[in-house]
Each structure stands twice: as C-alpha cells, then as structure tokens.
Amino acid sequence: MELTINGITQQLEVRTVGDVIAHFGLEGKPVVVEADGEIVDRERWGEAELRQGMKLELVHFVGGG
Amino acid sequence: MEDDRYSRQRLFAPIGDAGQAKLADSAVCIVGMGALGTVLASHMVRAGVGLVRLVDRDYVERSNLQRQMLYDEEDAAGGYPKAIAAERKLRRVNSEIRLEAIVADATSANVESLLEGMDLALDGTDNFQTRFLLNDACFRQGIPFVYGGAVSSRGMSAIFVPGVTPCLRCLISSGDSDGETCDTIGVIAPVVDIAASYQAVEALKYLVGDAEHRREALVSFDVWGNQHFEMKLGAPRKDCPCCQRKEYPALQAAPDEAISLCGRGTVQIAGSRPLDLERWRERLAPVAAGVKLNAYLLRAELPEGERLVLFPDGRVLVQGTDDFVRAKTLYARYIGS
Ligand SMILES: [Zn+2]
C-alpha cells in the first residue's frame, strides 16, 4: 500500500506497523512510531493495522551526548 | 540597576525579576559533563541558577576538545576530571552561584542522593543505561528529567514531567539498543549545542514556573540533512513500569561491577573500596610506565599496552580494551580482586 514515511511517499508490501519496523530493520532499536499524529504503543506494533495513505513518522532515539 | 549581570534576561518578560529570583532559588543536577553537559552547565550557570551540581565519571582527553566547550588543552594535558575542570571554568563565569563538582558514576546506589534537593535533572549522558536510571530516579522523586541526545548530525530533546507527561520508558524499551554513539559514527559540535539548548530552555521554563509554554513534544532534527520534526508526547503508556506501575526498574537493579563505556575502548570496574592514590602511585611506579598522579586521579600505562585510570572512589578505568574478561584480568593483576 501507499504510505508516507518520514515525509517520503512510498509503496510497501506491509499490513501492520510491525511489518514496517521489520522492513527497515528497526527491531530492537530505540524507535518511536507515530501514525497519523498519534504515537503507537510499541506493544501494539504487531497488531496495529495500516491504511492506504497513512502518514508514519519513525523517530530513532539518539543516544550520544 | 544595581547589578546588571542578568539585565537582558530580566528584560525578557516571561522571566522578568520574579523569574530571576526563582532561578536564584533553584537547584539543578547535570549528569554527564561531556558535550551536552558542558553546554547545559554554561546555560544554567550564566542564567543564574542558584545551585548547579555537575556529575561526571570521566576525565578530559584531547578528542573531547572538538565539542566539549568548557575544556581546553591544559585540561586534557593535565588529565583532570571533567566535573572538576568544568567547575573551575564556570566559577570564573559566575562566582555568585553555588557549584558542586562530583566525580562519580551515577548508579542505582548513589543516584537518589545525587538528586536530593534538586528541582530537576538535566541529561548530559552518552548512554541509555544511565538515562533510564535518571528517568526512574526523577519520577520516583517527582522532579522533571530533561532528556537530550546528539550523534552524527542528529539531535533530540524532550522534558518528562512526573504526573504531567509520559516518561522515557513510555516511549522506548530498556532492551532497545543500537551501536550508534559519538565514538562509533562521530558527531559535529553544532548539533550538540542545539540539542542542549533545547534542554536548557525547557529547564528555564520549568524553573520560572511557566508551565503554559512547556514544549509538549519530542523535538528531533538533523542539522546536516535539514530535517526537523516534533512528535506529540501524548498520554503515558498504561502499563509503564516507571510512571504508571511505579516499579522504577533501574533503581531495583544492583550497580554493575563492570561496564563497557560503549565505543570508547574502555571498561569501568566499579571497585569495592576507596583507593589511596598516593599509595597506589608508589605501588604501580615499579611495574608500569608513565605513572601520573594529579589531585583527582592516577594514570598508569601498563606493559600489556592498556592504561589504568584510578579514582579515589574506587573506580578503575581500563582503557585500550572492550573485553570484560581482559579488563578484569588486568584489574586483578594490578589492583587485586
Ligand atoms: Zn512512563
């Protein structure tokens, strides 16, 4: 389906937020996901269904300092 | 005006005379006096925060000078602890506030005493383990934790306020990790200044009592890639072990005996007893080359190629290895078990 991820519109073969995380190889990384303006609880990534045209933001926490 | 040190800040209406008085009455703790910490400390001290506590476990090295703005070549040559070098510099900036330098690693054993009497904690750390510890300790003590991070050209900041916002554990899990640190993929100084300045401004808003202007978002940016994004923090996660279940996991865990300072080629051994540095200088001088003692730490170059750095609180840094077993072997060989 068509999704806009961090501002870039793209076609991905995914169903859930978890699939997107896996697609970008972000499992186990300190990442927060926002879908259409709402943070998706990380425990619900696997079941959180996506819809055509959704806007996702993947925010990768920064550890340095 | 009898004292114009803060005149420009007093003229800024949201602070004003009342806010300036509140700042003078405030106490903040900065944990980690690296790149973020030095910028944070400079802002807090110049703004006139009454008590600024500086906590750091490390000492100044040449590779710090590119971005850790309070240190100079003399500090690196002398191998001074960062907390001490920063205090010395900041005293000349503002002699009218109180500064406390603490050379220590923040652990579950000491974090609550480090935060005792503080109005908030500012994150100057370079690792998530210490951030989760601070997050838990701040939420237990009911004071804000002001997160900041910077690596490569990317930075981030958020203020977590107990009873008001989610906490760090609501957003990411303590099991998450990646290898991206300033020591593996580098960092440029401007992004650190920006991240720390976002932290500092949220601290000032909180300290002067301007809750209305609190930034309710996690701000993130890539200053090289020209990206900027704000994510609304929303509500706390219902079963968060810190801010909801109030279990504060990091405070329950015993301090680690040995930790790797990620990407630094350094293992820190906590040690179990204080070290008399003068005595250790005499002991190590015959077996190690270049044994150097200053008022705060002892450095010894080992024949094996590694370097030991001893602190009076019992900590020993084994530099030149990431291997726990090797570090512990060297520790046992020279310091004892
Ligand atoms: Zn929480």
Side-chain angles (χ1 to χ4, degrees):
Chain A
M1 71 179 81
E2 187 178 282
L3 298 167
T4 301
I5 300 175
N6 292 7
I8 298 166
T9 302
Q10 49 203 291
Q11 291 289 334
L12 290 182
E13 294 293 316
V14 292
R15 194 176 59 82
T16 67
V17 170
D19 296 339
V20 174
I21 291 293
H23 175 84
F24 290 103
L26 294 171
E27 300 106 324
K29 298 270 168 73
V31 172
V32 183
V33 180
E34 188 188 79
D36 284 345
E38 296 282 333
I39 291 178
V40 183
D41 187 338
R42 52 192 302 113
E43 262 135 51
R44 289 192 47 254
W45 283 356
E47 65 211 58
E49 306 245 355
L50 299 167
R51 290 182 311 276
Q52 175 75 12
M54 264 182 136
K55 282 194 172 61
L56 296 185
E57 293 287 343
L58 311 183
V59 177
H60 200 141
F61 263 67
V62 174
Chain B
M1 199 177 285
E2 93 257 23
D3 175 2
D4 72 352
R5 170 189 288 266
Y6 304 118
S7 62
R8 302 304 187 275
Q9 193 167 277
R10 287 179 200 274
L11 280 170
F12 178 66
I15 294 181
D17 289 344
Q20 194 60 51
K22 285 184 186 160
L23 292 178
D25 232 9
S26 300
V28 304
C29 182
I30 302 168
V31 179
M33 284 299 298
L36 291 171
T38 50
V39 176
L40 292 168
S42 175
H43 283 309
M44 295 298 107
V45 165
R46 289 175 195 276
V49 172
L51 169 59
V52 180
R53 183 174 286 169
L54 315 168
V55 181
D56 194 276
R57 63 186 178 189
D58 206 354
Y59 67 97
V60 182
E61 295 178 274
R62 281 182 69 82
S63 66
N64 303 147
L65 302 181
Q66 163 250 2
R67 67 195 182 284
Q68 303 188 12
M69 51 92 85
L70 292 176
Y71 310 129
D72 57 35
E73 292 178 1
E74 231 171 88
D75 297 322
Y80 293 108
K82 290 181 180 177
I84 301 289
E87 181 200 23
R88 208 158 43 191
K89 192 87 18 117
L90 291 166
R91 274 206 195 291
R92 298 161 58 129
V93 171
N94 191 345
S95 60
E96 295 164 17
I97 61 136
R98 282 167 62 207
L99 279 163
E100 288 180 6
I102 300 178
V103 183
D105 188 20
T107 69
S108 58
N110 66 5
V111 67
E112 293 184 278
S113 72
L114 292 175
L115 298 184
E116 179 100 46
M118 296 291 119
D119 293 299
L120 57 78
L122 287 155
D123 174 8
T125 70
D126 60 0
N127 67 91
F128 282 116
Q129 189 178 3
T130 314
R131 288 191 175 99
F132 282 114
L133 177 75
L134 287 174
N135 180 73
D136 290 4
C138 284
F139 273 70
R140 174 131 102 189
Q141 257 163 262
I143 60 171
F145 169 52
V146 192
Y147 159 74
V151 71
S152 180
S153 59
R154 292 182 286 122
M156 219 178 231
S157 175
I159 181 168
F160 300 116
V161 186
V164 180
T165 72
C167 76
L168 182 64
R169 278 187 199 276
C170 290
L171 300 177
I172 56 174
S173 147
S174 56
D176 294 342
S177 70
D178 56 27
E180 294 190 339
T181 77
C182 302
D183 301 290
T184 55
I185 61 168
V187 62
I188 53 170
V191 76
V192 179
D193 295 12
I194 296 167
S197 294
Y198 271 112
Q199 292 174 269
V201 78
E202 291 310 311
L204 293 177
K205 289 178 195 173
Y206 179 84
L207 294 173
V208 304
D210 192 355
E212 192 195 330
H213 286 96
R214 178 174 46 79
R215 184 182 296 274
E216 294 175 337
L218 171 74
V219 58
S220 65
F221 36 85
D222 179 336
V223 294
W224 203 275
N226 307 318
Q227 305 281 323
H228 181 102
F229 182 67
E230 300 207 18
M231 178 181 271
K232 273 262 192 198
L233 287 177
R237 192 157 59 83
K238 280 187 212 68
D239 59 348
C240 174
C242 173
C243 69
Q244 300 304 306
R245 299 210 309 262
K246 304 197 187 302
E247 293 163 2
Y248 313 111
L251 302 180
Q252 312 306 330
D256 292 318
E257 272 174 52
I259 52 171
S260 171
L261 305 192
C262 184
R264 296 275 309 276
T266 297
V267 174
Q268 175 186 272
I269 313 269
S272 54
R273 56 184 192 281
L275 297 170
D276 177 343
L277 298 186
E278 186 57 50
R279 221 186 90 227
W280 280 98
R281 185 173 65 93
E282 288 165 22
R283 275 210 204 172
L284 291 174
V287 290
V291 176
K292 281 193 220 152
L293 175 67
N294 64 31
Y296 311 96
L297 55 85
L298 175 72
R299 285 177 292 174
E301 313 293 336
L302 301 180
E304 290 86 346
E306 281 85 351
R307 172 193 289 162
L308 294 184
V309 185
L310 285 64
F311 292 89
D313 66 359
R315 287 181 304 121
V316 174
L317 304 180
V318 184
Q319 298 192 301
T321 184
D322 279 316
D323 179 349
F324 274 45
V325 175
R326 181 162 175 86
K328 284 182 175 172
T329 304
L330 292 168
Y331 179 86
R333 188 174 298 161
Y334 290 98
I335 310 297
S337 45

